[in-house]
Amino acid sequence: RESLNKGQLTNAQRDKLEDMLRGLTIEKENVGDCMLWCLQHADAAEEIVECIGESLSILQTPPTVKAARFFLCNDLLYNSCAEVPNASSFRTKLESRLGEIVIPLL
């Protein structure tokens, strides 16, 4: 998977995303940096949303980290109308996974 396939992250990009999600804080700048990275890789929105969804399903995750990940989802939804190629994919992908992300948390 090291070669760049349209719509997929490379292994290094996936590792970077996972590192950012693990280190995410509720600080606006931190969430904004992660959101910007996601928008810059919007052609892989489906994989990014899958990764975010998986990160929200980890029961041991501290509540503040989960909150930061929800802030990221919120920012991606808000900016899905940005004039960035494939940014709108985030709305579609997040909406389709919202139930499976949120219901286990209830």
Side-chain angles (χ1 to χ4, degrees):
R1 211 170 87 172
E2 281 303 327
S3 62
L4 186 59
N5 293 324
K6 188 83 173 147
Q8 286 189 327
L9 299 173
T10 63
N11 288 337
Q13 290 170 330
R14 176 81 182 219
D15 290 345
K16 169 82 173 162
L17 176 59
E18 290 172 351
D19 287 344
M20 285 190 297
L21 290 172
R22 272 191 292 276
L24 207 55
T25 67
I26 57 173
E27 293 178 19
K28 188 175 182 177
E29 185 175 331
N30 186 256
V31 174
D33 289 345
C34 190
M35 184 222 32
L36 181 59
W37 187 93
C38 290
L39 286 176
Q40 290 169 338
H41 297 86
D43 58 322
E46 185 168 6
E47 186 175 357
I48 291 169
V49 169
E50 177 184 315
C51 194
I52 294 169
E54 289 170 3
S55 76
L56 282 165
S57 70
I58 301 167
L59 297 176
Q60 301 84 355
T61 303
T64 54
V65 176
K66 277 195 180 173
R69 292 172 184 169
F70 276 113
F71 291 163
L72 173 62
C73 290
N74 179 70
D75 285 2
L76 287 170
L77 286 170
Y78 181 82
N79 288 289
S80 65
C81 60
E83 298 214 9
V84 174
N86 299 312
S88 62
S89 297
F90 283 108
R91 177 167 296 281
T92 309
K93 303 303 179 192
L94 281 165
E95 285 177 348
S96 70
R97 297 208 48 182
L98 200 55
E100 67 186 77
I101 290 171
V102 175
I103 290 174
L105 301 174
L106 302 176

